[in-house]
Amino acid sequence: LLVTLIIHRLLEYREKQSKMEKLNMIIGIFFSEMGSELLSYFSDIDPNLDTIRNALIIDGKWTPQDFDKLAKKLTGYDYRVDPSWLNLAKLSDFILGKRDFILTLMENPNLLEHERFTELLRVVFHVADELRFRKDGTSLPQTDLQHIAGDINRAYGMLVREWVMYMGHLKKHFPYLFSLAVRTNPFDQNATVIVS
């Protein structure tokens, strides 16, 4: 009975690890396909980003403790984009072009295991919906721009936190993917994909 119980627990653990690997693969696809570009756009219209930008420059020497410290530091940051800097046409074209991609990710049953990422997708999809219903983003009143900025702020904060956790995962398990992610860091203004 004891041996059966131990084997059962080992199999459960393996299954959970396998699901987490699949989830992290989905998260990686999300950042590769659209998440990093969204982070780049949102951070470009964040007037206070310079107060935390240096903390977000991750390199190959980082330890798990460095990622934990960064995650704690970011909990106190006020994610706010400047509504007057919004280019709704550009954002709308990009995010609406990825709407089907987001829907496909949301259909994945493995996401039920990862509430935080599921919520991130829901929030990003909501931004897409808000933009989809506005045919002309050039003549919106300030109150509406503030509303859209509020939705973007919610997505922005969740994106940054998920990105940091994903970078920590890559550093630990996939150094070759981590290397590329560091060289394409959306917060690093000097980032270059070219290895020198």
Side-chain angles (χ1 to χ4, degrees), residues 22-74:
K22 288 174 185 169
L23 280 173
N24 281 311
M25 193 167 70
I26 292 167
I27 292 169
I29 291 167
F30 169 78
F31 278 108
S32 178
E33 186 68 22
M34 70 178 295
S36 293
E37 198 163 336
L38 275 180
L39 274 176
S40 182
Y41 178 74
F42 294 161
S43 63
D44 283 348
I45 59 173
D46 176 354
N48 300 313
L49 181 68
D50 285 340
T51 62
I52 61 161
R53 186 188 298 275
N54 286 340
L56 290 161
I57 308 302
I58 296 168
D59 65 34
K61 297 178 186 126
W62 276 47
T63 65
Q65 292 77 22
D66 292 320
F67 286 100
D68 290 342
K69 266 194 270 184
L70 176 58
K72 283 179 188 150
K73 180 176 183 156
L74 293 175

Side-chain angles (χ1 to χ4, degrees), residues 34-173:
M34 70 178 295
S36 293
E37 198 163 336
L38 275 180
L39 274 176
S40 182
Y41 178 74
F42 294 161
S43 63
D44 283 348
I45 59 173
D46 176 354
N48 300 313
L49 181 68
D50 285 340
T51 62
I52 61 161
R53 186 188 298 275
N54 286 340
L56 290 161
I57 308 302
I58 296 168
D59 65 34
K61 297 178 186 126
W62 276 47
T63 65
Q65 292 77 22
D66 292 320
F67 286 100
D68 290 342
K69 266 194 270 184
L70 176 58
K72 283 179 188 150
K73 180 176 183 156
L74 293 175
T75 58
Y77 185 69
D78 187 21
Y79 298 91
R80 295 231 172 264
V81 299
D82 187 329
S84 66
W85 294 355
L86 280 171
N87 181 340
L88 288 183
K90 178 182 173 183
L91 179 59
S92 187
D93 284 348
F94 175 73
I95 206 165
L96 290 176
K98 303 294 183 183
R99 199 166 176 274
D100 288 343
F101 171 72
I102 300 168
L103 279 172
T104 301
L105 289 183
M106 289 175 82
E107 290 170 355
N108 190 313
N110 289 320
L111 287 183
L112 296 173
E113 303 286 324
H114 203 306
E115 290 176 27
R116 195 181 62 248
F117 184 66
T118 303
E119 184 59 23
L120 169 61
L121 290 178
R122 189 177 293 119
V123 166
V124 170
F125 192 77
H126 176 69
V127 172
D129 265 355
E130 288 281 356
L131 296 174
R132 184 170 63 100
F133 288 111
R134 286 165 177 82
K135 301 300 178 208
D136 179 18
T138 58
S139 59
L140 297 176
Q142 190 62 31
T143 50
D144 199 41
L145 287 174
Q146 286 287 124
H147 175 80
I148 294 169
D151 290 330
I152 289 171
N153 293 337
R154 188 179 308 112
Y156 179 29
M158 293 179 82
L159 271 166
V160 173
R161 288 187 291 273
E162 195 64 46
W163 179 80
V164 169
M165 294 183 83
Y166 178 64
M167 291 293 282
H169 169 76
L170 290 184
K171 173 74 168 80
K172 183 176 180 181
H173 299 285

Side-chain angles (χ1 to χ4, degrees), residues 5-21:
L5 197 62
I6 291 169
I7 290 172
H8 180 68
R9 291 237 171 120
L10 277 171
L11 289 173
E12 275 183 346
Y13 175 77
R14 267 195 169 155
E15 187 178 335
K16 188 173 183 178
Q17 290 297 102
S18 175
K19 279 184 182 177
M20 287 311 291
E21 269 313 307

